[in-house]
Amino acid sequence: MNSYLTTLLALTVLVLGVRSHSFVHPPRSLHSVSARSDSVSVPGESPFPFVTSIYPVMGPPSSYLYIMGRNFNESTAVRFVPEGVPPSAAVALSVVFYSEAQIAVTVPNTAHTVVNVMVETAKGRALESPRFIVASPVQAPVLSRLSSNQGAVGCYNYVDGDNFVLGQTNVTVGPLPVSVVFYSYRELGFVVPSALLAAPGATTSGLPVTVTTPYGSVTSSFRFVVIPGSSTGFC
C-alpha cells in the first residue's frame, strides 16, 4: 500500500455525497441496492425516518452495513429484528452517523441468520423490507471484472464478483499478492503495487487476477496491464 493510502486509511471520505466507514475509497456499489420502506410515524411528529436502500444485503459479524434513506440524525437507533421478535426486544446497535441520508453499523454476532433492519428516531421508525442475512458465503469465489483492466502504480482498482469472505480472501495479480480491502461478499479493492512493474508481461500482455478463499480459487480470463507513471486516484 502506498504512503498516500497508508496515511489516509483511518479517515472517512466524501465522494459524490457518499461516505464510507473508515475507507479511503468507498464501495462502488453503495447505492445499487434499492428497497421499499414501511414507515411508522409518531402522531403529530414528522418527518419520520425512511430507508431507501441497504448495502450489502448479506455479511458476517464485524462487517459493515450501510443504510441509506432520509431524516436520520445523530440519535438514530438501528436494530436487527428477527422474525417474530418485537422491535423493542431487539438490541440497539452502535450507529455511525454520516448525514441525514446515510448511517452505518457493524454487523453484530447474533444467533439469527435473517433479520429485518429497523431504523428509529424520536420521530418514528422505518422497517426495511429486504432482509439482511448475517452470514458468509460457503461457495467457491466468482470473479466477474475489474473496474479497470489497466492502471498506473498507486491507482485504486475494484474487484467485482461473488462469494468473497471477510478476512479470508486473497488476491494476486500475476505472481504478486496484493493488499485487499473487503467491502462485501461481492466487492473488493486493491492498490496497484510498484512491484508489479517487474513481473513479466505486466506492461505488455498484462497479468491475470486470481481470487482465493477457503472455498476455492478462480483466475480471470481478462488481464490487468500496468501502464507507465503513477497515480493516487482510481485506475
Side-chain angles (χ1 to χ4, degrees), residues 11 16 25 28 57 67 71 83 91 96 102 104 108 115 118 125 128-129 138 165 179 185 196 198 216 228 230-231:
L11 301 179
L16 299 179
H25 300 298
R28 232 169 16 117
V57 295
I67 303 167
N71 301 330
E83 196 69 31
V91 176
V96 178
Q102 186 184 358
V115 295
M118 192 193 79
R125 68 175 182 265
E128 175 66 42
S129 296
V138 293
V165 181
S179 181
Y185 68 103
L196 275 184
S230 61
S231 171

Side-chain angles (χ1 to χ4, degrees), residues 33 45 83 100 150 159 182 210 219:
V33 183
E45 301 244 349
E83 196 69 31
E100 67 172 13
Q150 64 177 21
V159 182
F182 178 92
T210 299
T219 298

Side-chain angles (χ1 to χ4, degrees), residues 161-207:
D162 207 347
N163 300 329
F164 303 148
V165 181
L166 176 65
Q168 300 182 72
T169 300
N170 298 312
V171 175
T172 58
V173 181
L176 188 71
V178 296
S179 181
V180 175
V181 175
F182 178 92
Y183 294 116
S184 76
Y185 68 103
R186 288 183 170 175
E187 187 176 8
L188 307 169
F190 70 91
V191 176
V192 176
S194 58
L196 275 184
L197 285 170
T203 60
T204 53
S205 59
L207 303 168

Side-chain angles (χ1 to χ4, degrees), residues 20-33:
S20 173
H21 194 92
S22 66
F23 295 133
V24 172
H25 300 298
R28 232 169 16 117
S29 309
L30 206 54
H31 282 299
S32 65
V33 183

Side-chain angles (χ1 to χ4, degrees), residues 3-5 50 53 71 82 88 111 119 122-124 128 130 135 138-139 144 153 168 178 194 209 212 215 228 232 235:
S3 58
Y4 170 78
L5 291 178
F50 194 90
S53 63
N71 301 330
S88 59
V119 176
K123 305 294 184 180
E128 175 66 42
V138 293
Q139 295 83 26
S144 302
V153 168
Q168 300 182 72
V178 296
S194 58
V209 177
T212 303
Y215 304 101
T232 55
C235 293

Side-chain angles (χ1 to χ4, degrees), residues 215-226:
Y215 304 101
S217 182
V218 60
T219 298
S220 65
S221 57
F222 52 81
R223 289 174 173 258
F224 181 77
V225 176
V226 183

Side-chain angles (χ1 to χ4, degrees), residues 42-101:
V42 176
E45 301 244 349
S46 63
F48 48 76
F50 194 90
V51 176
T52 57
S53 63
I54 61 173
Y55 173 83
V57 295
M58 180 177 75
S62 299
S63 63
Y64 300 133
L65 171 64
Y66 298 93
I67 303 167
M68 279 65 69
R70 61 177 183 265
N71 301 330
F72 303 151
N73 57 48
E74 293 185 1
S75 299
T76 300
V78 174
R79 302 175 193 272
F80 278 13
V81 184
E83 196 69 31
V85 174
S88 59
V91 176
L93 306 177
S94 178
V95 176
V96 178
F97 174 79
Y98 294 121
S99 72
E100 67 172 13

